[in-house]
Amino acid sequence: MGQWEIFLSPYKQAVDELKIKLKGMRSQFGIVNANSPIEFVTGRVKPLASIYDKTLEKGLAFEPSKQLGDELGDIAGLRIMCQFVDDIATVSELIRQRKDMRVVEERDYITHSKPSGYRSHHMIVEYPVETIQGKKMVLAEIQIRTLAMNFWASIEHSLNYKYKGMFPEEIKNRLQSAAEAAFRLDEEMSSIRSEIQEAQAYFNEFKEASNPNLLSEKERDAQ
């Protein structure tokens, strides 16, 4: 097993465990017949190429070390998708209240968006991983955003690779306009939240009644 594989192993374990725990939060809302603020959860360990880019940016040695783990808080990354903007505050508060992880840093890019238009809520948590060598504390980044914010961020990320961060002025302006349009969409959806959730509940009930052999969403999450 190589040095990098050994170094990244606790981060992979943290991502796997945190995905289960965050999905478990979603399931608990279904058990009590409440609308979940969590739509879905994804996770990943930062690829070595991205770690290398970050070390260049921060002036760090590209080698497995405690310093690297301390300086890069997003080697382990989780992303929580929400339907509505208000859900983001609910989810972030639930994470703050947990006893199995400790929030060490928060950045609110929703109230204070980046100049590019990027919006998301970032939380760096310290999470204990039990290994055969004992307990290891690792940092993990949890990004909480709406589906519209995620769509914009995914497009911006792809374009950033193409232009190496040096966007043509027209593309830059269009991205900023698109970010504002996405946020207005989120606000409009929030204004009719109750109607949307009622419609979704009706649709799910109708779907289950029409397909009695299909597991309900609540039953699937419980498995």
Side-chain angles (χ1 to χ4, degrees), residues 96 98 212:
R96 290 187 207 103
R98 293 189 69 100

Side-chain angles (χ1 to χ4, degrees), residues 2-207:
Q3 285 189 329
W4 278 109
E5 191 173 358
I6 294 171
F7 175 75
L8 293 176
S9 178
Y11 293 95
K12 292 177 181 177
Q13 185 175 332
V15 168
D16 290 341
E17 292 180 12
L18 286 169
K19 280 171 65 178
I20 291 172
K21 291 182 176 184
L22 295 173
K23 288 178 179 179
M25 288 169 54
R26 181 180 187 276
S27 300
Q28 290 167 31
F29 282 93
I31 291 170
V32 298
N33 293 314
N35 291 309
S36 174
I38 298 174
E39 186 70 7
F40 61 89
V41 179
T42 62
R44 61 94 184 103
V45 172
K46 204 174 193 67
L48 281 178
S50 297
I51 293 176
Y52 176 71
D53 290 342
K54 273 296 184 80
T55 59
L56 291 179
E57 180 183 318
K58 290 179 172 286
L60 300 171
F62 179 61
E63 59 186 20
S65 67
K66 184 180 185 303
Q67 182 188 16
L68 184 66
D70 291 341
E71 291 288 333
L72 301 188
D74 62 346
I75 293 177
L78 288 298
R79 190 168 292 159
I80 299 175
M81 302 299 173
C82 302
Q83 277 196 322
F84 304 101
V85 176
D86 292 346
D87 290 336
I88 295 173
T90 301
V91 173
S92 59
E93 180 58 28
L94 287 171
I95 292 172
R96 290 187 207 103
Q97 293 172 1
R98 293 189 69 100
K99 305 300 183 185
D100 54 350
M101 63 188 79
R102 183 175 70 90
V103 178
V104 297
E105 183 181 335
E106 283 192 69
R107 294 182 182 180
D108 181 3
Y109 296 120
I110 297 173
T111 305
H112 308 287
S113 64
K114 290 186 176 183
S116 64
Y118 176 86
R119 284 184 169 89
S120 185
H121 191 90
H122 292 194
M123 306 178 81
I124 303 294
V125 300
E126 188 179 54
Y127 180 74
V129 172
E130 294 291 344
T131 73
I132 57 174
Q133 286 84 28
K135 181 185 295 185
K136 178 176 176 59
M137 305 300 292
V138 301
L139 297 179
E141 181 184 66
I142 302 176
Q143 298 178 352
I144 313 168
R145 57 178 64 154
T146 64
L147 298 169
M149 292 174 191
N150 189 62
F151 171 72
W152 183 94
S154 298
I155 298 300
E156 193 268 350
H157 184 72
S158 298
L159 288 171
N160 193 52
Y161 266 93
K162 177 180 179 180
Y163 292 109
K164 308 299 183 185
M166 303 297 291
F167 292 111
E169 195 64 25
E170 182 183 1
I171 296 295
K172 180 181 177 181
N173 292 337
R174 286 182 178 273
L175 276 174
Q176 290 172 336
S177 296
E180 291 305 315
F183 193 63
R184 287 196 299 272
L185 172 63
D186 276 334
E187 290 181 319
E188 287 296 324
M189 292 299 102
S190 293
S191 71
I192 56 171
R193 176 181 183 136
S194 59
E195 287 82 358
I196 292 173
Q197 291 179 331
E198 286 176 9
Q200 289 173 334
Y202 175 80
F203 175 76
N204 288 333
E205 290 174 7
F206 175 79
K207 184 170 61 175

